[in-house]
Amino acid sequence: MTKTFLSLEWKKFSRSAAFSKGLVIKILMIFGALYFGGIAIFMGGIGFKILQKAVPDVDPLITLNQFLLYWVLGELALRFFMHQMPVMNIKPLMTLPIKRSKVIQFLLNKTIFSFFNLIGILFFIPFSAALIYFGYAPLQVAAWLLSLMGIVLCLNFINFLINKNNTYFYVIASFAVLSVLLNNYNIISFTKISESIFYALYQFPYLVVFPLLLAFILYKSNYNLLAKHFYLDGIIRKKIEKVETKDLSFMDQFGDIAPFLKNDIRMIWRNKRPKQVLFTAVFFVFYGLFFFTFEIYKDNLFFTSFASIFITGGFLLTFGQYVPSWDSEYYKLMMSQNIPYYQYLKSKWSLMVVGVLIAYVLSIPYIYFGIKIFAMISAAAVFNVGLNSFITLYGGALNRVPVELNVKASAFGNTQGFNATQLLISLPKMIGPYVIFIVPYYFIGFKAGIIALSLSGILGLVFTKFFLKFIEKTYQKGKYKTIAAFAEK
């Protein structure tokens, strides 16, 4: 039966209208997996020596165990955004003599062979081999390794539950941020708590039973959840919800672009995929807590500029990169109306600018970490408004992949709206601010770098109309190709 399911999955992939796009993505993902897998193996092999040199007075195994709790929380957050849940079209299978238990087991077993599960194991296996080489008890190391493998499976199945209910994620993310702050200010030592939990798995090998038992319980919980909804009526029946209307008349003051702004706000409010992107943008506002609370990143100008761009440009980068794909389901209708492209693009640009301004206001508390860091955030905000917004909007002209507004996958994990062009367009948005800042900084000083980064954004604002006209011509040139691409199923 597994062989049959795999055959159906391959036929679904190879016969898809978007096969070429899917093949390119798969190839990129394979190269990415090989690259990061190789790094994980290498770091696992030399990790013992690195920890030994970094903290010479502490057992390297204890040092690693002190941070495994953060690894658990960080991986849960990463999986929520990037780990795409496997799906199957089960409706045709319901008319065939196939046990539903087989279908559910296949679906859950697919999650076990995810790259996110493999990457952690590729690190821990060579690290465990190094422990045995340096004289640690093989039986205890094997039990510790098996426990971590069980924890990896627990994270995998917990992620399945998190994707079913976003509340789980917000609780975990809040706890992760709170634990970092409490530990950093020596209120509660979460490193000691982490050490106590994970080092006990090495000291007492019989505790391996608990992670494996928890993984089994989570597996059964996911199985029961899927089995509960595995019936035909659950697929074809639509849930009737109360329709909510919002008064957006206050936006009429924006003139010709007001109808487009109202349309985008209603789209974000009513649909799952853009709403997830909005929550992701809010998450990026707290991105600096990761970089600015650790000394290794705090004084690194590259990471400071990198974090600053994301803090104020989270909405711009996540929402903006899918313009005009957000409107793919009704793009043909829009283009059949007497709608000037300039107004359409200006409304998208205005929405991104508002997103940057709101994020900048929310970032004001970062002044606690120093005036230099806040100056970098301010300059990055100006750059995002003045240049990054236009670069992002231009990249949309080359993006002809439709987006399903109510898709159930994670906002980051789903590949709808993604193509290789987006990767190339993202390079100037990420590296550009650093280059603009670092050149005058290197020759003159910090203030010169901040001024240069700010002036580049101000210059973009001065030529707003010119950039929008240029982007408008690009959109008009590819108008019919975009319509044809969005119409493809």
Side-chain angles (χ1 to χ4, degrees), residues 50 128 131 142 239 259 278 325 330 351 403 442:
I50 291 176
S128 299
L131 290 175
K239 183 179 179 182
L278 179 63
S325 295
Y330 46 86
L351 193 62
V403 165
Y442 181 79

Side-chain angles (χ1 to χ4, degrees), residues 102-115:
K102 295 291 184 182
V103 180
I104 297 173
Q105 287 171 5
F106 175 76
L107 191 62
L108 289 175
N109 291 339
K110 279 177 66 178
T111 68
I112 296 176
F113 296 97
S114 166
F115 171 73

Side-chain angles (χ1 to χ4, degrees), residues 65-86:
N65 285 321
Q66 289 177 344
F67 294 94
L68 287 183
L69 182 59
Y70 293 111
W71 159 68
V72 169
L73 296 173
E75 184 159 329
L76 277 175
L78 183 66
R79 284 172 182 264
F80 178 82
F81 289 115
M82 302 193 68
H83 188 184
Q84 185 177 353
M85 292 292 98

Side-chain angles (χ1 to χ4, degrees), residues 180 205 293 299 448:
V180 171
T293 54
D299 298 326

Side-chain angles (χ1 to χ4, degrees), residues 170-187:
Y170 300 125
V171 172
I172 292 171
S174 300
F175 179 75
V177 173
L178 185 63
S179 65
V180 171
L181 294 175
L182 292 176
N183 188 82
N184 190 58
Y185 294 104
N186 299 318
I187 299 174

